[in-house]
Amino acid sequence: AQTVTQSQPEMSVQEAETVTLSCTYDTSESDYYLFWYKQPPSRQMILVIRQEAYKQQNATENRFSVNFQKAAKSFSLKISDSQLGDAAMYFCAAWAGATNKLIFGTGTLLAVQP
Amino acid sequence: EPEVTQTPSHQVTQMGQEVILRCVPISNHLYFYWYRQILGQKVEFLVSFYNNEISEKSEIFDDQFSVERPDGSNFTLKIRSTKLEDSAMYFCASDRVNTGELFFGEGSRLTVL
C-alpha cells in the first residue's frame, strides 16, 4: 500500500520569499512517480511539478523545484519568489503504475502575505 | 487548452435518492478517475476506469456506487441511494497514459439532506 504524509497543515510566507513544503511517502513499488498538485480556493487541482522515481535529478518548473531524497522517502516542494497567486492548498501525491491510482496527502494550506 | 468538464457544479438531494454526476474527460485520454473531497480535506480515491471496465476501486466505492462510460465522451458516477456522509466534492480526472499525471475537473459539489 502507498501512503503520503504531509506534516504541515498550514504554512505562511511573505511575498517574494521562499518557502518549503514537506512530504514523505511510503511505497513498496520500485517504479513510481511523485507529484505536487495545487488547489486554489474552490477550484480544481492543477499539476505543479512531477518527479519520476528513477531520475536522480530534482525536477524544476520555473519558481517551483523539488528536493527528492529517495532513500529517506522525502519529497519536498520549494517555491521561490512567492507570489500572491501561489496561495492555495498544496497536495503531495504518489503514483505507482501497478496500483493505477494516485494517492494524496492531507494537504498544506499556504498563505502568502503581501 | 483541453479540459475536463463536470456537471452539475452543485447538486442538492434528499437522503436515499439516486444521483448521477457527469464528466467529459479530455478527448484523447484513456484513463478515467473519480475522487472525492469532504469539506476541503483529504482527496480520496474512489475508482479508476480503463478500456470500459473498472481497473481499481477503493473501500469507499461500495455497491451503492457505479461508473459508466455510456458513449465515447461521457464518464458518469452514480450513487444509487445517497447517505448524509456522501456529501462531498466529487472530482473527475483523466490521464492520457498511465503515469498519474491527472487532469482534474472543477468538481461537483453534492449535498445530501
Side-chain angles (χ1 to χ4, degrees):
Chain A
Q2 289 170 212
T3 59
V4 178
T5 303
Q6 293 178 251
S7 58
Q8 305 156 316
E10 296 181 14
M11 292 283 283
S12 182
V13 64
Q14 290 291 129
E15 199 174 2
E17 296 294 307
T18 295
V19 65
T20 298
L21 308 184
S22 302
C23 173
T24 57
Y25 65 93
D26 194 15
T27 180
S28 56
E29 303 292 331
S30 58
D31 179 25
Y32 58 92
Y33 302 81
L34 300 168
F35 303 85
W36 280 95
Y37 279 84
K38 170 184 177 181
Q39 186 183 34
S42 302
R43 297 297 306 277
Q44 78 265 46
M45 279 173 290
I46 54 176
L47 179 66
V48 174
I49 198 165
R50 145 195 171 138
Q51 174 83 42
E52 292 89 340
Y54 63 85
K55 288 189 177 177
Q56 292 186 333
Q57 186 171 8
N58 288 324
T60 299
E61 286 287 341
N62 301 314
R63 297 183 295 106
F64 298 86
S65 61
V66 298
N67 183 5
F68 175 44
Q69 300 290 325
K70 192 171 184 177
K73 295 186 176 177
S74 167
F75 182 62
S76 60
L77 175 70
K78 185 170 85 171
I79 306 174
S80 304
D81 186 25
S82 297
Q83 300 174 359
L84 295 177
D86 294 334
M89 181 74 91
Y90 286 82
F91 290 97
C92 179
W95 169 273
T99 63
N100 200 30
K101 58 186 176 185
L102 188 65
I103 299 299
F104 288 87
T106 51
T108 296
L109 183 62
L110 178 67
V112 181
Q113 308 298 332
Chain B
E1 187 173 324
E3 57 181 19
V4 176
T5 57
Q6 290 186 241
T7 54
S9 56
H10 188 193
Q11 181 155 356
V12 181
T13 190
Q14 294 292 322
M15 191 168 57
Q17 294 297 304
E18 176 182 284
V19 160
I20 297 176
L21 305 179
R22 291 183 168 79
C23 169
V24 180
I26 294 173
S27 61
N28 63 345
H29 285 194
L30 302 176
Y31 299 83
F32 314 113
Y33 310 86
W34 284 100
Y35 284 80
R36 79 173 186 190
Q37 185 180 33
I38 297 175
L39 289 176
Q41 295 176 12
K42 186 172 183 175
V43 179
E44 300 174 297
F45 169 78
L46 293 179
V47 65
S48 58
F49 191 87
Y50 169 71
N51 200 27
N52 282 321
E53 59 183 31
I54 291 173
S55 41
E56 187 81 26
K57 60 181 181 179
S58 71
E59 294 174 352
I60 303 167
F61 195 88
D62 61 22
D63 292 344
Q64 293 300 311
F65 291 85
S66 63
V67 289
E68 197 176 39
R69 189 158 160 83
D71 51 43
S73 59
N74 290 284
F75 179 51
T76 61
L77 174 69
K78 182 193 289 186
I79 309 174
R80 289 190 184 83
S81 179
T82 49
K83 306 193 239 334
L84 295 175
E85 54 265 36
D86 293 329
S87 294
M89 182 73 91
Y90 288 81
F91 290 102
C92 174
S94 67
D95 184 1
R96 189 173 60 85
V97 293
N98 193 26
T99 60
E101 192 167 326
L102 271 53
F103 290 77
F104 285 86
E106 293 202 352
S108 293
R109 180 173 297 282
L110 176 64
T111 302
V112 182
L113 303 176

